[in-house]
Amino acid sequence: MIKTNFTLGVIYGNRDFFPDALVAEARADMARLFRNLGISAVQLSEKASKLGGVETYAEARKCAELFKQNRERIEGVLVVLPNFGDEKAVADTLKLAGLNVPVLVQGYPDDPGKLSPARRRDSFCGKISVCNNLVQAGIRFSLTTRHVCHPLSAAFENDLRRFLRVCRVVNGVRGARLGAIGARPGAFNTVRYSEKLLERHGVSVTTVDLSEILAAAGRLGSNAPAVRDRLAEIRAYAPAPGVPAEKLAQMAKLGVAISEWMEAHELDATAIQCWTSLQRNFGCNACTLMSMMSEKFLPSACEVDVTGVLTMYAMQLASGTPAALVDWNNNYADDENKCVLFHCGNWAKAFLPDIRISNAPILGSTLGIENTYGALEGRTGPGPLTFGRITTADAEGAIRAYVGEGELTADELNTFGNRAVARVPNLQKLMRYICRHGFEHHVAMTQSKTAAVLREAFGNYFGWEVYEHEPAEG
């Protein structure tokens, strides 16, 4: 499941010749905001330092120690500047704590009518100094949309919500455990990738031969409790008109075998060799099972596309909704900004209001339709679209990504499988970028508007080369 409750470490910057009341007011503002958003705070008490602020090296050490004691809870750090603040103390706190989590720097705005010593803040200037020190220390951080903004403003609430999503992506991708079931299809060089580059960024890949999964499924009896339960789950998940009962039973056994392997290795996501060995040696498609996993926020990608499923995982963390892996598949008539998104049938149910279990006509043309039951039929309707892709540029020893937004439309589309029509601004430019930089034909999508979150996580915190297509201003 997607985590929805958050804990942030909070640093209240202070400087002694500014009014103490400003720090006390900031603590009250943050308490109100955190209460409204369901955020827990780890912060110095008002008795642990002057008003719970951080100004001296001793206070920085005290705050850092508190953060270290709560290392397992803290998912990000918010730096609050009710006044100019002490830039060294803020940087020292983060260096000493060594949390390696995202940081957001906020500064309070001044009221032009209250610039007397009794109410003057100078956070506008102090924020620049704090950020300068963080850059010197090599500490990555995020900024608010407006240079200074009040914590109780709508603008800051939006910034904070976006930051929480960034935290979820960064912390989730670091330490992600992916499973690769089987070898990639022989004809699909496009899904090659570097395990070593992923490992360098905290992403591990556990592999298993497809034959081991099929053998485990084959040993399961039809009356095994786990098989009966999985069969009932499949029947409840989607209608299956015309699908033979024995094929549903095969799918149930395969699903149990995959789940048991995932649980044994504590995996977050899988990429599966979904053709042609599966159809030839077991006699069904894995699409429905993969859809069910993705719907449960355990994303599953076809064709052993490991960096594709990593993209799905990151994108579901950003959006809080299931992700799908799709093909940039067809042009849409003569519209230069529309295209068809397609796959033979493993998108999460959230994308498919008219979902049903069927077969795969393209694979069936060579493998036999009777061996492809388990593919899904369904059309995704109109709504928001975020798309993205992570790839390993092995020759350069780098990881690259692109992200962007568009919309899913209601344009007529008469075909089979899982399908949608997408409108992407300046689509031809995007296609040139994808081709020129050697990206895969697979792209991940969510029904959200979260490209900025992904850009911040990938580019700022992971240091990847990120192209954001046609970003919105701000």
Side-chain angles (χ1 to χ4, degrees), residues 272-430:
I272 299 176
Q273 184 197 119
C274 55
W275 59 275
T276 56
S277 179
L278 182 59
Q279 291 77 18
R280 286 174 173 159
N281 296 304
F282 198 70
C284 70
N285 269 35
C287 302
T288 298
L289 304 172
M290 298 165 73
S291 171
M292 293 168 70
M293 288 189 285
S294 295
E295 185 75 10
K296 295 177 181 178
F297 296 102
L298 295 168
S300 190
C302 50
E303 294 152 349
V304 204
D305 188 350
V306 171
T307 51
V309 83
L310 177 60
T311 314
M312 292 174 68
Y313 186 61
M315 290 180 65
Q316 75 171 24
L317 290 169
S319 68
T321 63
L325 193 70
V326 311
D327 285 353
W328 293 113
N329 210 77
N330 312 91
N331 60 291
Y332 190 80
D334 293 326
D335 194 320
E336 294 187 353
N337 291 318
K338 289 181 181 177
C339 65
V340 175
L341 307 177
F342 174 84
H343 241 173
C344 56
N346 66 350
W347 299 359
K349 187 177 182 177
F351 291 91
L352 308 172
D354 56 344
I355 187 173
R356 66 183 178 90
I357 302 172
S358 183
N359 53 49
I362 294 177
L363 288 176
S365 66
T366 57
L367 299 171
I369 284 293
E370 69 279 4
N371 294 317
T372 67
Y373 285 107
L376 292 175
E377 283 272 355
R379 163 72 191 267
T380 303
L385 169 67
T386 293
F387 56 85
R389 177 73 210 195
I390 298 167
T391 194
T392 57
D394 302 17
E396 290 81 31
I399 296 180
R400 295 178 180 150
Y402 69 82
V403 297
E405 294 177 354
E407 60 180 332
L408 299 170
T409 75
D411 290 292
E412 184 178 1
L413 183 61
N414 296 315
T415 187
F416 54 89
N418 290 166
R419 55 207 185 270
V421 176
R423 183 188 179 279
V424 176
N426 211 343
L427 176 63
Q428 302 308 309
K429 176 185 175 183
L430 175 63

Side-chain angles (χ1 to χ4, degrees), residues 37-50:
L37 298 182
I39 300 171
S40 299
V42 175
Q43 58 190 19
L44 289 176
S45 70
E46 292 177 295
K47 296 181 179 179
S49 66
K50 187 172 73 170

Side-chain angles (χ1 to χ4, degrees), residues 96-109:
L96 292 168
L99 297 180
N100 196 29
V101 296
V103 176
L104 177 64
V105 184
Q106 177 270 347
Y108 269 75

Side-chain angles (χ1 to χ4, degrees), residues 10 12 20-36 43 46 51 80 82 108 150-152:
V10 185
Y12 294 95
D20 290 342
L22 299 178
V23 179
E25 291 170 8
R27 292 179 68 94
D29 289 339
M30 287 300 169
R32 177 179 169 186
L33 177 62
F34 279 23
R35 189 164 52 248
N36 291 342
Q43 58 190 19
E46 292 177 295
L51 298 172
V80 180
Y108 269 75
H150 196 282
L152 299 182

